[in-house]
Amino acid sequence: MYVVSLTYKVPDEIVDFHLPAHVQWLQDAFDRGVFMVAGRKIPRTGGLLLSNAERADLDAALLADPFYVNGVADYDVEEFHASRVAPGFENLLDA
């Protein structure tokens, strides 16, 4: 499983300009099963994504993100092994 941390590297008005395309990209990626969770950081300095996709599929999706294409955010991808979850979240466990 992967946690992707996006950190904005441009002013908020540039983030906002590219946000509609980024949201559409997110929806497309969710529809393809690339992401399981997405949300903004608080304070608004970027976002976090949770993915259980194959690494190659995740990388390909990230390269197509309008925030990446337009230099809006830096990305940090961390892989981890989900070995324990709360009841109801068993689908997140690694096999």
Side-chain angles (χ1 to χ4, degrees):
M1 187 170 308
Y2 301 93
V3 174
V4 180
S5 178
L6 285 74
T7 303
Y8 299 144
K9 57 184 189 175
V10 298
D12 288 347
E13 56 271 9
I14 296 173
V15 172
D16 291 341
F17 178 82
H18 293 286
L19 189 59
H22 172 75
V23 169
Q24 182 60 58
W25 166 82
L26 270 176
Q27 186 59 57
D28 294 344
F30 267 94
D31 291 347
R32 292 191 323 273
V34 176
F35 299 119
M36 301 162 22
V37 177
R40 283 185 181 167
K41 292 179 183 176
I42 299 172
R44 188 181 176 207
T45 59
L48 292 172
L49 304 165
L50 184 62
S51 177
N52 207 15
E54 295 294 325
R55 180 63 192 253
D57 295 333
L58 173 60
D59 289 344
L62 294 175
L63 289 173
D65 180 2
F67 278 2
Y68 175 81
V69 172
N70 294 290
V72 173
D74 286 326
Y75 298 74
D76 179 47
V77 179
E78 294 286 335
E79 184 175 10
F80 74 100
H81 174 73
S83 59
R84 181 174 288 195
V85 296
F89 294 94
E90 291 81 9
N91 63 316
L92 298 177
L93 288 169
D94 288 338

